[in-house]
């Protein structure tokens, strides 16, 4: 498996991974699956300052992705990020999510971030297991915070400290490699 920085050209593959999650589960709180054009825009916007990684299977097809986003807008939150990971259905349980996080989380620490958060729509044993396996700890639950597929949904929150706490400098923006196929090893 290869992990690399996403490019806008990955948008269709990313949209294909995400669409069934949106359309058929309560895991994502989006109601309509975003198309490739929208995913291209999201990838470009994220890469302007934060990492978005994709995993490729042995055939070179995108089989998962992970990215970071701002945790909150106010300045004192600038050292914290929210993380997201999705894996193609046929590749779940094969270490793709873990491999993505094993590249993303140290990269975020190198950029100067201290805390990573993950919101997980519940129930979702696979995502909870992945996050806890890579060191996230449960914080609490927003009860009945979203309504999707005819029922109210809870969202659990997990946190991982990325580096020792100290007086921080401003985080550095992510600089995608010049070669979009660059590995993150």
């Amino acid at each position: 498996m290869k992990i690399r920085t996403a490019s806008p050209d990955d948008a269709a593959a990313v949209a294909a991974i995400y669409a069934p999650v949106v359309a058929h589960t309560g895991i994502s709180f989006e109601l309509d699956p975003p198309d490739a054009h929208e995913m291209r825009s999201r990838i470009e916007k994220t890469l302007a300052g934060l990492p978005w990684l994709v995993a490729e299977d042995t055939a070179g097809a995108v089989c998962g992705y992970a990215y970071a986003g701002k945790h909150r807008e106010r300045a004192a939150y600038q050292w914290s990020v929210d993380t997201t990971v999705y894996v193609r259905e046929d590749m779940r349980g094969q270490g793709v999510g873990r491999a993505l996080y094993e590249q993303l989380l140290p990269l975020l620490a190198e950029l100067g971030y201290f805390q990573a958060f993950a919101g997980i729509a519940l129930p979702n044993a696979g995502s909870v297991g992945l996050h806890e396996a890579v060191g996230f700890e449960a914080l609490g639950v927003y009860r009945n915070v979203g309504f999707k597929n005819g029922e109210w949904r809870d969202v659990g929150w997990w946190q991982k400290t990325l580096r020792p706490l100290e007086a921080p400098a401003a985080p550095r923006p992510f600089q995608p490699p010049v070669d979009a196929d660059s590995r993150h090893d």
Side-chain angles (χ1 to χ4, degrees):
M1 178 178 4
K2 177 181 173 183
I3 307 291
R4 63 173 172 78
T5 299
S7 83
D9 293 338
D10 294 314
V14 167
I17 291 168
Y18 189 49
V21 175
V22 173
H24 306 296
T25 77
I27 293 170
S28 167
F29 278 15
E30 290 198 62
L31 300 178
D32 299 309
D35 62 14
H37 178 74
E38 172 60 22
M39 290 310 260
R40 174 181 288 273
S41 175
R42 292 180 188 188
I43 291 168
E44 290 171 341
K45 181 179 177 184
T46 299
L47 289 176
L50 288 161
W52 186 311
L53 306 178
V54 294
E56 293 180 349
D57 62 20
T58 55
V62 173
C63 61
Y65 63 94
Y67 62 91
K70 285 184 176 185
H71 176 63
R72 308 274 272 195
E73 287 299 320
R74 296 203 173 144
Y77 287 113
Q78 69 183 295
W79 296 278
S80 296
V81 291
D82 288 344
T83 60
T84 300
V85 63
Y86 285 98
V87 176
R88 197 175 68 208
E89 189 171 3
D90 66 316
M91 295 294 291
R92 292 183 191 145
Q94 298 182 43
V96 176
R98 183 183 201 109
L100 284 160
Y101 265 156
E102 287 174 349
Q103 298 298 316
L104 180 66
L105 297 171
L107 181 55
L108 292 168
E110 288 172 21
L111 291 172
Y113 293 96
F114 287 81
Q115 303 295 333
F117 295 90
I120 303 171
L122 301 174
N124 188 338
S127 187
V128 169
L130 167 63
H131 285 85
E132 291 182 352
V134 297
F136 282 79
E137 296 178 352
L139 291 175
V141 177
Y142 290 171
R143 304 223 179 268
N144 302 311
V145 69
F147 188 82
K148 186 170 178 192
N149 297 341
E151 59 186 290
W152 286 100
R153 307 277 177 167
D154 295 344
V155 173
W157 282 92
W158 276 257
Q159 178 177 358
K160 178 178 175 63
T161 298
L162 300 171
R163 55 190 291 190
L165 299 179
E166 61 190 18
R172 295 181 316 281
F174 177 66
Q175 298 293 316
V178 174
D179 174 11
D181 288 331
S182 294
R183 285 179 168 261
H184 290 275
D185 296 326

